[in-house]
Amino acid sequence: MAEPKPEVPPEVALRRLTALAREAGAVARTDGALVRGRARLIDEVARIAPPRAPWRRWLLPAALAPLLVIAGLWALRPAARLDYRIDESAPADSYVRAGESGATARFSEGTTVRFAPGARGRIAAVTARGAQIHIEHGAARFQVVHLPGAEWIAEAGPFTVTVTGTEFDLSWQDERMELTMQSGSVAVRGPLAAGGIALQGGQRLVVDVVRGELTIADQKADLRAPEGGDPREPGATAATAATAEPGVATSPGARAERGATAPAPRSAAARAPAPPQSYRERVARGDFAGAIAEAESRGIDAIIAASPLSELAALADAARYAGRNDLAQRVLLAERARFAGSPEARSAAFLLGRMTEPGSPAAAIGWYDRYLTESPAGSLAAEALGRKMIVVRASRGEAAARPVAEEYLARYPHGAFAAAAAEILGRP
């Protein structure tokens, strides 16, 4: 005959059940783990509720029910966010003001952000998958650990860098952003890069917001052409998006809207085969030259007339980033002619303004006005208004620029061109 099970005082049983519930919740990361934890709890109830005490059969399970609920809720709780420490500062500190020896933010999964001497920034947000880190001034090196599901965002002024696992240097100073890739890949969005730019290891991106210049180059090459030189001359491998080419339309009127080079007839469009690899894919990989070569091999006129809007926009980006503004202009005018009213066609007005600005200020102002009329709250509105202000000042004088400066400060008091607007208005 089996020996009767020893009875356990109810308070001891409840303490034991509480400990098991905590254990089940602590390890439960899947439904299967939660089920196993509940099974252990039920087995414990059966062990401490002997047959000779039938009242315990319902009393202890009833007492256990809240613990099961707690264990389930514990298992479903969100994962804890990453821990981080900025040098020897308190764990709660999130603002970085690097001294003479710099400063380093270290995260619990291994990621480090090393701020250069004099740099300022902050840890804007932290989750279980990553963090959002803003560079206010100066430079920082990011060494992000590559983990599944990682979500890291780096910000520098108005630019956003989406990161998974990579190493890069990022700086923001005097309205100028520089990003040098050491390894991995990132996507950058911001002024002059609203559609996003993919960068790979070994590439460097330089954007001067005030001058409206965007340059992509190998980090060992010269980043900018000599003053007044052609960025496509030998030795200047940078791809510049702001230097106008001869032959750019000088007026945003009806002739330019129809296109300085009209799209090819439909018969040519019908003969244009679909590219084996989309221009969007090539641009996403940074293969701007490959996208242009593909288009030229198939006939630019036919490609312009036949390609869908998304492919035209990608080809225009490739041409801009590769310094082929003549081709970029043709494609952008085709976007506006074929897909009038689309977001891409509206953005094309701004880009055409940037291209005409060096050679024809009046045409640039016209294109900026066109964009502001079509997209008064668009993603490029602040930049279009700021560029218009700069061009008006340079071509017509400060008196003519004051109304534009007033409008800019009223709409964008902390915008990239706020300092220039205040200077025009004589404000400190």
Side-chain angles (χ1 to χ4, degrees), residues 17-43:
L17 294 175
T18 301
L20 286 170
R22 288 174 179 164
E23 180 186 350
V27 302
R29 290 290 183 268
T30 64
D31 291 342
L34 182 58
V35 169
R36 289 192 297 272
R38 290 184 58 191
R40 289 188 60 192
L41 292 173
I42 294 172
D43 289 344

Side-chain angles (χ1 to χ4, degrees), residues 13 64 77 98 102 112 166 185 196 209 227 272 313 333 335 348 355 370-371 394 422-423:
L64 175 62
R77 75 192 188 284
T112 60
T166 186
S185 61
V209 174
E227 190 69 27
L333 289 171
E335 284 183 35
M355 293 182 192
R370 181 74 59 85
Y371 177 83
E423 180 182 345

